[in-house]
Amino acid sequence: MSLSRWWTETTAALGDRVPLPLVALLLVLAAVLVAVGWYTFPAWVPRRLPRLRRRRRETAPPDAPPPVVPAPREPELPAAAYVSLADRFAAEGRYAEAVRERLRAMVRELAARRVVQPQPGMTVAELVRAATDTRPEVGPPLSAAGAIFSELWYGQRPASVEHDHRMREHAADLDRLLTGRPEDGPRP
């Protein structure tokens, strides 16, 4: 029997037992289900297929919490390393990067003196608030430095040598406040 004859006889036999509108409705319903499955494909497939795992004999008790593995962090550099990098960026004319590194040096110095405990994802405003809660006198230079940083990085303004110069002044003011050294004299 050929495929076309088989198809004709099968559909005729099906048509004798099931009305044609019902068959059409079932085909449309099947097509809709396939389309919905196709459209939502990633949602109903598990992201990771389960794997069989061998049980180790040295395992912890089942009610013990899993060990906490800390996320890898950048190595803590001293503030002087950030200042050195900022000076190099400024010498190359990359003032926005220099401002960023000077702010990092300021934050590192605040952390080293235990004025603030920086957290990943902390904004400049949160950092200023945390620092002024501990030592209110550091607020003005830190706020001004944060404003310069935000203007350049978030406001996407072009950086200039003036920005770097002002950032150096704010960093020096912060250092004087943290160390308790008197001011060298009037600024030009």
Side-chain angles (χ1 to χ4, degrees), residues 6-89:
W6 172 84
W7 177 255
T8 305
E9 289 180 4
T10 304
T11 54
L14 184 63
D16 289 342
R17 292 185 178 83
V18 181
L20 184 61
L22 181 61
V23 171
L25 180 66
L26 290 175
L27 287 175
V28 167
L29 184 61
V32 167
L33 288 175
V34 167
V36 167
W38 186 277
Y39 182 73
T40 62
F41 172 68
W44 53 268
V45 173
R47 290 186 186 267
R48 193 170 141 188
L49 297 175
R51 283 192 275 179
L52 295 176
R53 295 182 184 171
R54 285 192 223 172
R55 209 170 185 160
R56 293 182 184 168
R57 293 184 186 185
E58 309 160 6
T59 59
D63 58 341
V68 177
V69 179
R73 295 184 60 183
E74 288 184 13
E76 297 279 337
L77 296 176
Y82 291 116
V83 171
S84 173
L85 186 59
D87 290 340
R88 192 177 86 215
F89 282 143

Side-chain angles (χ1 to χ4, degrees), residues 168-184:
R168 286 175 194 259
E169 289 175 354
H170 297 313
D173 289 345
L174 182 69
D175 185 57
R176 274 192 293 277
L177 290 170
L178 291 175
T179 59
R181 284 184 276 173
E183 218 174 296
D184 295 339

Side-chain angles (χ1 to χ4, degrees), residues 75-134:
E76 297 279 337
L77 296 176
Y82 291 116
V83 171
S84 173
L85 186 59
D87 290 340
R88 192 177 86 215
F89 282 143
E92 294 172 1
R94 296 166 56 185
Y95 299 114
E97 289 91 346
V99 165
R100 180 187 62 209
E101 296 307 319
R102 288 195 200 289
L103 183 65
R104 283 182 177 165
M106 293 168 78
V107 170
R108 184 67 193 122
E109 190 63 33
L110 288 169
R113 296 182 182 277
R114 301 196 187 282
V115 176
V116 294
Q117 182 63 39
Q119 300 295 323
M122 196 175 207
T123 65
V124 176
E126 291 169 341
L127 178 78
V128 170
R129 191 175 318 114
T132 54
D133 286 347
T134 307

